[in-house]
Each structure stands twice: as structure tokens, then as C-alpha cells.
Amino acid sequence: MVFGFFSSNVSVDLNKRGDEYFAGDSVKGSVKLSTFRGVNARNIKVRLCCVEWVNPKKNGGKNGEGKETVLWEKEKKLGGAHKYSAEKWKFEFKLPTDALPTITPEPYKKNINEGAGLKWYLHAQIDIPAGVDMHAYKQIFLY
Amino acid sequence: MIKINAPTSVNRNSELKGVVEIGEKELKGARMVEVKLCNEIMYGNEKRNYSCWEMGKKYSPGDARSLFELPFEFHVDGEAPITYKGKQLVSRWKLGVFINVIGARDRWKKMDVLVMR
């Protein structure tokens, strides 16, 4: 618990309830850094990407077999080199009007990460010099 | 003769309706007749199918004999995978008739169906 109290973490939140979008929509949200001691970062960025993915772990595959092929991505820099305290950055991405819909391998499981398909997700990254970068992911479902 | 009369494409969140005609010869020794709409999702050069999307309707051989045409109707969910061929990923749908035969190989016929947004 003491570790949890002093540790820092980053999260991605969407402005709207739910994670469903249509081609051409705007994806609005925020990246939130929670920290007690502050974080020395080289930069903070968020990207929205569309990937073809496979993760065959389900039927006994080994870790590390997951693969992604990026089809589309946009990145936004939210901050440069600085010591950051707890903060929140807003972002907005416009989905292409011809954006491919999510392909999910199982019915009623929109955010499944096992199997193969096509997915859209937000990835926030805080680049820590000489340290472990901080990452946060948020998957969205595109109709 | 096994004949599938159905549209070759369907939009998501709508119905795929059709009929199947099966000749008397193909029904000989049949235990069960099934019409299925199945999705296949494959990645790279793997032959493995990752998809669990499948819809089916079963008929008894008696029904298949007494009815000239076997009607079927499948609702294609609004979140169902579209037909897609990308860099590594392929998603395709097949509509098939499968006749399970006692003591012999199953008889079947399949056709591709495009599932569109």
C-alpha cells in the first residue's frame, strides 16, 4: 500500500460515457497523471491508432506472441521535458470518415484482447529519461 | 443437388434470408441438415480461425424431404465483423449447408457472403 501511495500512474479517459464511435466522430478525452512526488519526463504524448492484431494466448500460446500491424495513427504531444506534478491534459482526435470498423473475434466482447481482429485504441505515454516509461491504453469500439 | 438461394451480400444489423434446396439423392441416409453462417478471422499465414461468430439452423431429414425449400433467416449483428482483407488480417463469411450422413462423409455446399458496414 505504501508503494501504491508513493507511486505515479497515468490513465486515459474519454469525455463521453461509453466507448462507441462512428467514422468521422471526434474522440475527446484526457490523459491524467497521478503522482505524489512529481515525475521528470522527457515528453508526454497520446496517440490514436488502428491496428490489425493477433494474440493467440487463448489456446495455450506463449507470452510474447502477440503482434500488431499499424494501419493508421495520429499522435499529439501534450508536454515537453519538465518535472510534472499531478496534472490532466485534454486531447481531441478526428476519426477519418472512411475509418475501418472494429473487428472483434467474439460476439458481445468489444474489448477482447485474445484472438485476432482489428481494433482502435488510445495510447498515452510518458517518456521517462533513464527510467521506465509510463503507459496507459484505452480501447474504443468503432461501428 | 444442393442449391443455396441467398443474397451474396448483407449489411450489418440486418437479416440474411434465403432458401436451400436439397435433392432426394443428397438426403439419402441423412441424419441432420444444418444451414450455417460462419465467420472466419485469420491473421498472417496461419490457418487458424480466431472467430467465434456463427449462426445456424437445423432441420430434420423429414423436414428437408417434405419441404421443397428450406427457409432460413439469420440476423447479422451490428457489431459483427465485416468482410475484410487487410495487410495481415482476413475476415470472411461463409453460408453453408451441411448434411450429416450416417456412415458416410457429410455432404455440403458453401458460398461466400459479403458482410458490409
Side-chain angles (χ1 to χ4, degrees):
Chain A
M1 278 298 119
V2 174
F3 281 129
F5 183 71
F6 286 107
S7 68
S8 306
N9 74 69
V10 63
S11 61
V12 184
D13 296 304
L14 297 168
N15 280 6
K16 68 170 202 169
R17 197 176 290 166
D19 56 3
E20 294 159 350
Y21 292 87
F22 291 89
D25 280 356
S26 287
V27 179
K28 294 178 189 173
S30 56
V31 173
K32 187 180 169 188
L33 170 66
S34 307
T35 180
F36 182 71
R37 312 174 286 183
V39 170
N40 266 312
R42 190 178 287 140
N43 63 56
I44 299 176
K45 56 195 176 187
V46 61
R47 70 182 177 121
L48 173 63
C49 53
C50 171
V51 298
E52 291 176 357
W53 63 276
V54 65
N55 187 2
K57 268 193 271 188
K58 201 173 182 178
N59 290 341
K62 292 170 193 158
N63 283 337
E65 285 179 345
K67 289 177 218 158
E68 280 188 2
T69 306
V70 177
L71 302 178
W72 184 96
E73 65 181 329
K74 277 265 156 63
E75 188 176 277
K76 287 196 172 161
K77 194 175 171 183
L78 303 173
H82 185 64
K83 181 165 183 178
Y84 291 95
S85 48
E87 209 169 317
K88 200 171 173 179
W89 298 267
K90 286 184 179 175
F91 63 80
E92 180 175 349
F93 290 102
K94 180 95 173 150
L95 287 163
T97 50
D98 59 350
L100 289 163
T102 298
I103 293 178
T104 177
E106 281 190 48
Y108 315 117
K109 290 188 180 173
K110 287 180 182 170
N111 293 332
I112 191 167
N113 281 311
E114 288 176 338
L118 188 148
K119 68 181 172 187
W120 287 81
Y121 66 87
L122 290 153
H123 172 209
Q125 183 182 6
I126 301 184
D127 184 354
I128 314 282
V132 181
D133 291 353
M134 296 165 72
H135 300 271
Y137 299 88
K138 180 87 183 173
Q139 207 167 310
I140 63 170
F141 189 91
L142 213 81
Y143 280 101
Chain B
M1 177 267 299
I2 304 173
K3 200 172 165 189
I4 306 172
N5 295 313
T8 52
S9 65
V10 63
N11 287 319
R12 295 195 300 178
N13 213 10
S14 64
E15 320 297 323
L16 179 75
K17 294 179 191 175
V19 290
V20 166
E21 293 173 47
I22 306 171
E24 196 56 45
K25 193 178 125 198
E26 281 73 23
L27 285 170
K28 199 176 173 187
R31 186 167 16 203
M32 196 248 301
V33 176
E34 189 169 14
V35 180
K36 285 201 281 191
L37 179 62
C38 304
N39 174 239
E40 286 176 0
I41 295 177
M42 302 208 192
Y43 190 92
N45 296 323
E46 292 178 56
K47 293 273 179 268
R48 183 170 163 189
N49 176 19
Y50 288 97
S51 183
C52 300
W53 291 85
E54 186 179 302
M55 290 154 256
K57 187 172 180 188
K58 291 177 180 170
Y59 307 85
S60 69
D63 284 345
R65 272 191 197 92
S66 61
L67 297 167
F68 177 66
E69 293 178 329
L70 296 174
F72 63 85
E73 182 175 334
F74 298 120
H75 177 73
V76 180
D77 197 275
E79 290 159 12
I82 57 161
T83 299
Y84 170 77
K85 190 173 190 314
K87 287 184 180 174
Q88 298 288 333
L89 194 79
V90 174
S91 163
R92 57 178 167 238
W93 287 87
K94 288 195 187 287
L95 178 64
V97 186
F98 302 86
I99 304 164
N100 181 233
V101 185
I102 303 163
R105 263 197 208 164
D106 288 358
R107 298 170 193 131
W108 54 271
K109 179 148 193 179
K110 288 183 194 175
M111 66 177 264
D112 288 323
V113 174
L114 288 176
V115 172
M116 299 183 297
R117 193 174 222 163

